[in-house]
Amino acid sequence: MSKAIRNTITSFIVPILFIFTWAIFATKLNNPMILPQINQVLNNFVHATDDFIGLGSIPRNIIVSLIRVLLGYCVGVIIALPLGIFMGYKESISNLFSKFINTLRPVPALSWVPLVLAWFGLASLATFFGVPYGPKQVFFDNFKFAMIFIIGMGTFFPVVSGAAFGVKNVPKTLIESAKVLGASNRDIFFKILIPAAGPNIINGLRGGLGSAWGCLVAAEMLPGSLSGLGYLITHAYELARTDLVVTGIICIGVVGALLDYIFVVVEKRRFSWLGR
Amino acid sequence: MSKAIRNTITSFIVPILFIFTWAIFATKLNNPMILPQINQVLNNFVHATDDFIGLGSIPRNIIVSLIRVLLGYCVGVIIALPLGIFMGYKESISNLFSKFINTLRPVPALSWVPLVLAWFGLASLATFFGVPYGPKQVFFDNFKFAMIFIIGMGTFFPVVSGAAFGVKNVPKTLIESAKVLGASNRDIFFKILIPAAGPNIINGLRGGLGSAWGCLVAAEMLPGSLSGLGYLITHAYELARTDLVVTGIICIGVVGALLDYIFVVVEKRRFSWLGR
Amino acid sequence: MYLQLQNLTKQFDNITAVNDMNVNIKKGELVSLLGPSGCGKTTTLKMIGGFLKPTRGKVILDGIDITNLEPEKRPITTVFQSYALFPHMNVQENVGYGLKYRKQYSKKAAREKVDEMLDMVGLKDFARQNVTKLSGGQQQRVAFARALILNPKVLLLDEPFSNLDAKLRVKMRNEIKELQKKIQITMIFVTHDQEEALSISDRIVIMNDGVIVQIGSPKDIYTNPKNQFVADFIGRVNTLKLGEKTLLIRPENIAITSEDTGHNGKIIQKQYMGPYTTYFIKIGEQTIQADISSITDEAWEIGESVNIKFM
Amino acid sequence: MYLQLQNLTKQFDNITAVNDMNVNIKKGELVSLLGPSGCGKTTTLKMIGGFLKPTRGKVILDGIDITNLEPEKRPITTVFQSYALFPHMNVQENVGYGLKYRKQYSKKAAREKVDEMLDMVGLKDFARQNVTKLSGGQQQRVAFARALILNPKVLLLDEPFSNLDAKLRVKMRNEIKELQKKIQITMIFVTHDQEEALSISDRIVIMNDGVIVQIGSPKDIYTNPKNQFVADFIGRVNTLKLGEKTLLIRPENIAITSEDTGHNGKIIQKQYMGPYTTYFIKIGEQTIQADISSITDEAWEIGESVNIKFM
């Protein structure tokens, strides 16, 4: 008991020191362009729904970023998950794709941006659905194919690796047992193989979402972006609103942590049998 | 034997199909802005030392990127490695820092760019050493503090986690044995603990370098950058030279793979005892 | 004969894992395949189960050639060394898994059969527990229940006790033997543990390097080992050279006496084992071990000069 | 007395892991601490080694109170269950590691001593091999050599054989016993394996729930167990209720006879074990086990009605 309390107290020392240092430096420097006051940042959160100097409100930017990341993530998962599962299931499929995938892996997802822009240009969901000009068009125009593609790329590699590794490492005796007990190949695949590979698959999905979030924020910082958290912090910097930059960074961190937390919950719920 | 050969052949099917598809589409589209011909890309490699439309030669851009990534990587490692090792060594140090580190972890390294630009502006090694204007200044000006900081950030988390995990997981009996045999704390730390944690430390360093390379390329794509592979591909895109974009992406992938390969070699040489 | 292995042979590339194996097994018999690792015993089991196709030879069960049947078409189930329980299912789901694919069982009938089976292996109270939370012995029982619920004609067991500790191993061994006697099922049992094979088997097939070395009842094999390999592998044995002759003699068949028997030696070490004491006796250049029952033991001392006699 | 544990006690928070332990160990003696897991035997070993500070009590070695000495200041070395070899060093570096910190050895003298030690444990040819490439038995020997090279006054062993398979365990056990006799070192040996303790020890300390239950020679303990716990833990025992009296009797001390002894029963199961056969005999509501030596066995059948007598 007393040890647990002591540990909790210790763990707060550095964060508190950090905040104090920030407060002291902010006051000493007295230059909000370099280091804003803490209460200024807190104030931004209090007035989160304001439209900050034309950059849009914080919740709006978060929602745009979230929708973007989920669109790209879904595309990435839809391709990577079945591919990974089949690569783990059949050695021949793994042979077919693994060299190709490993050749592309060391290219950071963001490097594809210029090529992808050349392909899709500024085409967006708005272009695709032919939404007429208006607020709806402005909203749908946020979801550019180029961005979805990049986020999909960022998602792809962790997910495909996790799924292939997971399925490949399901003990062979588990499958043989199910076979002897009379399960069809289809049943073995869906009711034995996938659930038993579950923890590794989830782990891949988790890594993929983290990577997707990182890519998204970076992609939004590139020229041409008109909304989202990445856009918010870059343009807040250009407008010398460092307090807004800090606010944006905190939002990015919190949303990233929450996205990751989804998987912690899923893991605990679904795979409690892993706990030994 | 025959199986190994068959596997090798299989693994080349998809890459070859990919190249064929590329060649066919490139000819059909006949639009080098969207998809350049393969021989055009190869031609860029043959004339790698040319200064492409004012973007600098390929080797020059590679060298600039490499020096940048190594500078930032070293800064990151110098901070993260000792911290990680001490966090693994003493539970109290781990308690002190882990909450703080885990709070910062979900923020993608690139999100720090606007804040870091506010701090360091365009200050570079040239500014720091007061290099007078001239070709030397142009070269040293490539190494901006902001960039080094971001790459250091990208390096930090994988390295600190790997080191802390590695040191923490050295069996306690190993340390007790060394103690009983008369080794001093200093010897135990350097001759037993660090080498035994070696594989995990190397793994962290490897992840850190991969992350650093990804951050670097992304950082070079941001406005304000004037050289490096990331700059090359972004600006080649702006000049509609898609062939150069593809060339740059290939360079990024190859350099990334080579950097990773360093660690594969180190692991094999130094930690052959891991092979079971 | 119920189950016949005829000229069963399995080659992997250039290695012959099992070579021309012939065994006939009676209905309700418990036969062990015993041998050091790599002797081909597990390969044989896999061919009977259908997980490996033999290179040559046949497997005939109850008069029907099943050599080319898929594993799931054979009336044979296997309990694997790792148990291979489905980690994402609870005990009753694991045990009942096979019934889902047997059309003759309604849901209700299946549930009743699972309950009955769980009762038999003493896991009634654990029906809804997740299998990963069970102890090794309990997991073992779930694996048995899951295999037995399908009423297989033959049950195969691949070193099923190797993950249990010594005391539990003996306990589970007795339980399985009881069960086997009760339901009169034909079992083939792979093991490298000679004590296990001796205590549980009706007959033992001793294998080495892919071939059968000896087949017989435990007593046959222990008392009349065909060669040095069998003698060494089953129990402990002294190889004593007397002139031209080489004698294989078990430690418990040697007595120590003070009368002159012509075989004189010196005690160089002794180990008390409880029911008996092992004396290490040096005779000329050879050292033999004699297990002297504590009831007849005269407590000879290290260094003492003694005579031995063979019984 | 050479090594004395006086009122040794260790409490963790509210749990008393070891309670008021008193043991006196002679020079050159091999004493086992035997008990089920969690009985406090490893905690005791750690207090002797100095890895844990006792809550109360003293450890006195050769007349000197070492209770508060750091592990490295004690003339005691430990062989851990996991061997704890340094994975990044080869065999000779591991064995010689401790000598680096003993000023009296020149580099050359150290190298000679390492060679001598490796020769003694039969690993001369493996000097430059990496330790992770060795077999379990070889790693075990490296761990011994590394501990013995420092000429400790006491060698502590924490379940050193638990990672080896059955045959190798018996072999290593004999080797260690030989070695111990040769160099006359005082050893304390922690184990949960009763057979190991019986065969290797000069004396056994039986522990349960943090206290000593019985101390004595293997024979003392086997033939005169203080209570049911000791009798069950060391070997197998039948607990037979005869009227008001409860009899603890070993299976090998029961004979089967056809003459009327007043104890009539029925054979319900038999297991051939090689040197003997275990008969399971039902007497009234109780089942007892009788180990009948193969030499005297009259091959009673299952179902037969027999009489038993106690010896």
Side-chain angles (χ1 to χ4, degrees):
Chain A
M1 262 304 268
S2 75
K3 206 192 163 196
I5 292 171
R6 218 176 52 217
N7 283 352
T8 314
I9 293 172
T10 324
S11 71
F12 276 105
I13 293 178
V14 174
I16 288 169
L17 273 181
F18 172 78
I19 288 172
F20 262 99
T21 321
W22 175 5
I24 291 168
F25 265 86
T27 313
K28 275 219 169 167
L29 282 172
N30 198 18
N31 181 350
M33 264 179 68
I34 291 182
L35 207 60
Q37 297 283 350
I38 292 178
N39 56 359
Q40 209 177 338
V41 173
L42 292 179
N43 200 40
N44 286 338
F45 280 107
V46 174
H47 301 98
T49 49
D50 291 5
D51 184 350
F52 292 101
I53 41 172
L55 299 173
S57 71
I58 291 176
R60 190 192 138 86
N61 280 304
I62 289 180
I63 285 168
V64 168
S65 288
L66 267 181
I67 294 178
R68 269 185 192 142
V69 83
L70 291 182
L71 277 175
Y73 182 67
C74 287
V75 172
V77 168
I78 284 168
I79 298 167
L81 193 59
L83 182 61
I85 288 172
F86 281 111
M87 282 174 68
Y89 188 55
K90 289 262 175 206
E91 214 199 322
S92 54
I93 298 180
S94 172
N95 274 331
L96 212 54
F97 288 100
S98 57
K99 187 164 220 113
F100 186 62
I101 289 175
N102 287 327
T103 309
L104 294 183
R105 195 193 300 271
V107 181
L110 236 42
S111 331
W112 297 103
V113 166
L115 192 61
V116 169
L117 280 179
W119 292 347
F120 297 110
L122 298 176
S124 66
L125 286 187
T127 332
F128 188 73
F129 290 118
V131 183
Y133 194 77
K136 217 172 163 186
Q137 191 269 352
V138 171
F139 182 73
F140 276 106
D141 202 38
N142 280 320
F143 311 115
K144 305 236 184 311
F145 288 126
M147 239 170 217
I148 294 174
F149 188 96
I150 297 304
I151 297 163
M153 272 301 225
T155 306
F156 182 81
F157 294 104
V159 174
V160 86
S161 307
F165 177 82
V167 172
K168 199 179 162 182
N169 282 283
V170 171
K172 218 184 151 198
T173 49
L174 225 59
I175 293 163
E176 287 182 344
S177 287
K179 201 173 246 176
V180 172
L181 295 173
S184 62
N185 278 331
R186 191 195 146 87
D187 263 19
I188 290 175
F189 190 82
F190 288 106
K191 303 246 174 92
I192 306 294
L193 205 64
I194 305 283
N200 280 315
I201 293 178
I202 293 289
N203 216 19
L205 288 173
R206 183 179 176 178
L209 189 53
S211 157
W213 182 244
C215 286
L216 170 83
V217 171
E220 287 176 343
M221 293 168 73
L222 295 180
S225 174
L226 287 172
S227 59
L229 286 170
Y231 166 79
L232 178 79
I233 58 171
T234 346
H235 289 259
Y237 160 70
E238 283 168 1
L239 299 168
R241 283 289 304 272
T242 308
D243 59 311
L244 257 185
V245 171
V246 173
T247 311
I249 291 177
I250 292 173
C251 289
I252 290 169
V254 170
V255 173
L258 286 178
L259 289 176
D260 194 58
Y261 188 70
I262 295 171
F263 286 100
V264 176
V265 173
V266 171
E267 246 165 29
K268 256 200 191 138
R269 286 257 172 102
R270 295 278 307 157
F271 300 107
S272 58
W273 48 266
L274 256 186
R276 249 157 265 209
Chain B
M1 263 303 269
S2 75
K3 206 193 165 195
I5 292 171
R6 217 176 51 218
N7 283 353
T8 315
I9 294 172
T10 325
S11 71
F12 276 105
I13 292 178
V14 174
I16 288 172
L17 273 181
F18 173 78
I19 289 173
F20 262 99
T21 321
W22 177 5
I24 290 167
F25 266 86
T27 312
K28 277 216 168 169
L29 282 172
N30 198 18
N31 181 349
M33 265 181 66
I34 291 182
L35 206 61
Q37 297 283 349
I38 293 178
N39 56 0
Q40 209 177 335
V41 173
L42 292 178
N43 199 41
N44 286 339
F45 279 107
V46 175
H47 300 98
T49 50
D50 291 5
D51 183 352
F52 293 100
I53 41 171
L55 301 172
S57 71
I58 292 176
R60 189 193 139 85
N61 280 303
I62 290 180
I63 285 169
V64 167
S65 287
L66 268 181
I67 295 178
R68 270 185 191 142
V69 83
L70 291 181
L71 276 175
Y73 183 64
C74 288
V75 171
V77 168
I78 285 168
I79 299 166
L81 194 58
L83 182 61
I85 289 172
F86 281 111
M87 281 173 69
Y89 188 55
K90 290 261 175 210
E91 215 199 321
S92 55
I93 298 181
S94 171
N95 274 332
L96 212 53
F97 288 101
S98 58
K99 190 166 218 111
F100 187 62
I101 289 176
N102 286 327
T103 309
L104 295 184
R105 194 192 300 271
V107 182
L110 236 42
S111 330
W112 296 105
V113 166
L115 192 61
V116 168
L117 280 179
W119 292 347
F120 297 110
L122 298 175
S124 67
L125 286 188
T127 333
F128 188 73
F129 291 117
V131 183
Y133 194 77
K136 218 172 162 188
Q137 193 267 352
V138 171
F139 182 73
F140 276 105
D141 202 38
N142 280 321
F143 311 115
K144 305 234 183 315
F145 287 126
M147 239 170 218
I148 294 174
F149 188 96
I150 297 305
I151 297 163
M153 271 301 223
T155 306
F156 182 81
F157 294 103
V159 174
V160 84
S161 307
F165 178 82
V167 172
K168 198 179 164 184
N169 281 283
V170 171
K172 217 183 151 198
T173 50
L174 225 59
I175 293 163
E176 286 182 345
S177 288
K179 201 173 245 172
V180 172
L181 295 173
S184 62
N185 278 332
R186 191 194 145 88
D187 263 18
I188 290 175
F189 190 82
F190 287 107
K191 304 248 173 90
I192 304 294
L193 203 64
I194 304 285
N200 281 314
I201 293 179
I202 293 289
N203 216 20
L205 288 173
R206 183 180 177 177
L209 189 53
S211 157
W213 182 244
C215 286
L216 170 82
V217 171
E220 287 176 346
M221 293 169 73
L222 295 180
S225 174
L226 288 171
S227 59
L229 287 169
Y231 167 78
L232 178 79
I233 58 171
T234 345
H235 289 259
Y237 160 70
E238 284 169 0
L239 299 167
R241 283 289 305 271
T242 309
D243 59 312
L244 258 185
V245 171
V246 174
T247 310
I249 291 176
I250 293 173
C251 290
I252 290 169
V254 170
V255 173
L258 286 178
L259 289 177
D260 195 59
Y261 189 68
I262 296 172
F263 285 101
V264 176
V265 173
V266 170
E267 245 166 29
K268 259 206 189 129
R269 286 257 172 101
R270 297 278 308 155
F271 301 106
S272 58
W273 48 266
L274 255 186
R276 249 158 261 211
Chain C
M1 279 298 163
Y2 197 58
L3 178 67
Q4 293 170 278
L5 311 182
Q6 294 182 346
N7 309 104
L8 211 59
T9 301
K10 179 70 192 178
Q11 287 176 320
F12 295 108
D13 296 329
N14 340 3
I15 298 143
T16 306
V18 173
N19 196 5
D20 200 31
M21 202 165 159
N22 286 286
V23 184
N24 293 316
I25 293 165
K26 286 197 284 279
K27 190 167 180 177
E29 205 178 11
L30 197 167
V31 174
S32 294
L33 306 180
L34 176 67
S37 56
C39 72
K41 56 192 192 298
T42 299
T43 305
T44 306
L45 202 76
K46 283 188 175 169
M47 288 192 282
I48 303 173
F51 305 112
L52 280 177
K53 287 264 162 286
T55 310
R56 261 196 313 284
K58 286 181 187 170
V59 180
I60 295 170
L61 175 58
D62 211 1
I64 297 160
D65 182 347
I66 59 165
T67 318
N68 294 308
L69 280 187
E70 288 300 306
E72 61 271 27
K73 305 280 181 208
R74 304 181 181 206
I76 294 175
T77 52
T78 305
V79 173
F80 293 94
Q81 182 170 8
S82 56
Y83 314 147
L85 301 179
F86 305 127
H88 51 291
M89 298 182 189
N90 67 23
V91 169
Q92 68 185 6
E93 285 163 351
N94 263 282
V95 173
Y97 191 79
L99 293 184
K100 290 206 301 185
Y101 302 100
R102 300 295 182 280
K103 303 243 163 49
Q104 68 267 39
Y105 291 98
S106 66
K107 272 210 165 161
K108 188 160 163 282
R111 205 169 311 132
E112 275 167 12
K113 191 135 174 72
V114 170
D115 283 347
E116 187 187 305
M117 209 67 214
L118 287 179
D119 200 22
M120 193 165 95
V121 297
L123 284 175
K124 216 175 177 178
D125 298 340
F126 295 87
R128 285 161 191 286
Q129 193 121 358
N130 188 288
V131 288
T132 53
K133 305 276 190 260
L134 299 179
S135 71
Q138 289 168 333
Q139 292 191 4
Q140 169 83 85
R141 288 196 197 104
V142 175
F144 268 100
R146 189 178 66 178
L148 288 176
I149 202 167
L150 299 177
N151 288 319
K153 290 188 168 177
V154 178
L155 181 65
L156 307 178
L157 303 126
D158 187 7
E159 309 233 10
F161 306 130
S162 59
N163 293 330
L164 307 176
D165 72 30
K167 287 233 163 186
L168 191 55
R169 197 147 54 212
V170 173
K171 185 163 174 281
M172 285 305 299
R173 193 203 283 166
N174 293 343
E175 277 185 26
I176 297 306
K177 182 77 189 170
E178 284 292 325
L179 210 63
Q180 193 258 346
K181 264 182 55 193
K182 202 157 80 186
I183 60 178
Q184 281 296 326
I185 189 171
T186 310
M187 278 195 195
I188 301 177
F189 190 96
V190 159
T191 182
H192 68 270
D193 181 336
Q194 50 99 5
E195 193 184 296
E196 205 162 280
L198 279 180
S199 64
I200 205 172
S201 318
D202 295 318
R203 274 193 305 154
I204 300 178
V205 178
I206 306 245
M207 295 180 70
N208 195 24
D209 285 337
V211 296
I212 295 174
V213 185
Q214 187 170 5
I215 305 185
S217 73
K219 193 164 187 173
D220 274 355
I221 287 181
Y222 188 81
T223 52
N224 289 308
K226 203 173 176 183
N227 57 26
Q228 175 96 39
F229 170 80
V230 177
D232 269 334
F233 201 80
I234 292 267
R236 290 145 57 223
V237 76
N238 293 298
T239 310
L240 194 60
K241 284 213 179 76
L242 292 174
E244 291 295 286
K245 257 183 21 189
T246 301
L247 211 65
L248 294 179
I249 187 154
R250 302 281 180 196
E252 71 271 19
N253 291 335
I254 297 176
I256 301 179
T257 169
S258 46
E259 10 166 325
D260 189 9
T261 60
H263 304 296
N264 191 268
K266 197 174 151 186
I267 294 170
I268 56 169
Q269 172 72 287
K270 62 191 256 191
Q271 281 184 357
Y272 181 75
M273 300 299 294
Y276 61 91
T277 300
T278 301
Y279 287 91
F280 295 73
I281 304 165
K282 193 152 191 174
I283 301 176
E285 287 308 298
Q286 307 170 67
T287 300
I288 61 162
Q289 298 182 18
D291 290 353
I292 308 299
S293 157
S294 298
I295 297 165
T296 58
D297 191 10
E298 293 176 45
W300 310 91
E301 292 302 327
I302 294 177
E304 215 168 333
S305 184
V306 293
N307 284 287
I308 60 164
K309 69 177 176 218
F310 309 119
M311 299 183 303
Chain D
M1 279 298 164
Y2 197 58
L3 178 67
Q4 293 170 280
L5 311 183
Q6 294 181 347
N7 308 104
L8 210 57
T9 301
K10 180 70 192 177
Q11 287 175 319
F12 296 107
D13 295 328
N14 341 4
I15 299 145
T16 305
V18 173
N19 195 6
D20 199 32
M21 203 164 157
N22 286 286
V23 184
N24 293 316
I25 294 167
K26 286 196 284 281
K27 190 168 178 177
E29 205 177 13
L30 198 165
V31 174
S32 294
L33 306 180
L34 176 68
S37 56
C39 72
K41 55 191 193 296
T42 299
T43 305
T44 306
L45 202 76
K46 283 188 175 168
M47 288 193 282
I48 303 173
F51 305 112
L52 281 177
K53 289 261 160 289
T55 310
R56 262 195 312 283
K58 285 181 188 171
V59 179
I60 294 170
L61 176 59
D62 211 3
I64 297 160
D65 183 345
I66 60 166
T67 317
N68 294 310
L69 280 188
E70 288 301 305
E72 61 270 26
K73 305 280 180 211
R74 302 181 182 206
I76 294 175
T77 52
T78 304
V79 173
F80 293 96
Q81 184 170 7
S82 56
Y83 314 146
L85 301 180
F86 305 127
H88 52 292
M89 299 182 190
N90 68 24
V91 170
Q92 67 185 7
E93 286 164 349
N94 262 283
V95 173
Y97 191 78
L99 293 185
K100 291 206 300 184
Y101 303 99
R102 300 295 182 281
K103 302 244 163 50
Q104 68 268 41
Y105 291 100
S106 67
K107 272 211 166 162
K108 189 160 162 282
R111 206 168 312 132
E112 276 166 11
K113 193 139 171 68
V114 169
D115 284 346
E116 187 188 305
M117 209 68 213
L118 287 179
D119 200 22
M120 192 165 96
V121 296
L123 284 176
K124 217 176 178 178
D125 298 339
F126 295 87
R128 284 159 191 287
Q129 193 122 358
N130 187 288
V131 289
T132 53
K133 304 277 191 263
L134 299 178
S135 71
Q138 289 168 334
Q139 291 191 5
Q140 170 82 85
R141 289 197 197 103
V142 175
F144 269 99
R146 190 178 67 178
L148 287 175
I149 203 167
L150 298 177
N151 289 320
K153 290 188 167 176
V154 177
L155 181 65
L156 307 178
L157 302 126
D158 187 7
E159 310 232 11
F161 306 131
S162 59
N163 293 330
L164 306 177
D165 72 32
K167 287 234 162 184
L168 191 56
R169 195 147 54 212
V170 173
K171 187 165 173 279
M172 285 305 300
R173 194 203 282 166
N174 293 343
E175 277 185 27
I176 297 306
K177 182 78 189 170
E178 284 292 324
L179 210 64
Q180 193 258 347
K181 262 184 55 192
K182 202 156 82 187
I183 59 180
Q184 282 295 328
I185 190 172
T186 310
M187 277 196 197
I188 301 177
F189 188 98
V190 159
T191 182
H192 68 270
D193 180 337
Q194 50 99 1
E195 194 185 295
E196 206 162 278
L198 279 180
S199 64
I200 206 173
S201 317
D202 295 318
R203 274 192 304 154
I204 299 177
V205 178
I206 307 244
M207 296 181 69
N208 195 24
D209 286 337
V211 296
I212 295 174
V213 184
Q214 187 170 4
I215 305 184
S217 72
K219 193 164 187 172
D220 274 356
I221 288 181
Y222 189 80
T223 51
N224 289 308
K226 203 172 175 182
N227 57 26
Q228 174 96 37
F229 170 80
V230 176
D232 269 333
F233 201 80
I234 293 267
R236 291 145 57 225
V237 77
N238 293 299
T239 310
L240 193 61
K241 283 211 179 77
L242 291 174
E244 291 295 286
K245 257 181 24 189
T246 300
L247 212 63
L248 293 179
I249 187 152
R250 302 280 181 197
E252 70 271 19
N253 292 334
I254 297 176
I256 301 179
T257 170
S258 47
E259 13 168 322
D260 189 9
T261 59
H263 303 297
N264 191 268
K266 197 173 152 190
I267 294 170
I268 55 167
Q269 173 71 286
K270 61 191 257 191
Q271 280 183 356
Y272 181 75
M273 301 299 292
Y276 60 91
T277 300
T278 302
Y279 288 91
F280 295 73
I281 304 163
K282 193 151 191 174
I283 301 176
E285 286 308 297
Q286 306 170 68
T287 300
I288 61 161
Q289 298 182 16
D291 290 352
I292 307 300
S293 158
S294 298
I295 297 166
T296 57
D297 192 9
E298 294 176 46
W300 310 91
E301 292 301 326
I302 294 177
E304 215 168 334
S305 183
V306 292
N307 284 288
I308 58 165
K309 69 175 178 221
F310 308 119
M311 295 186 304

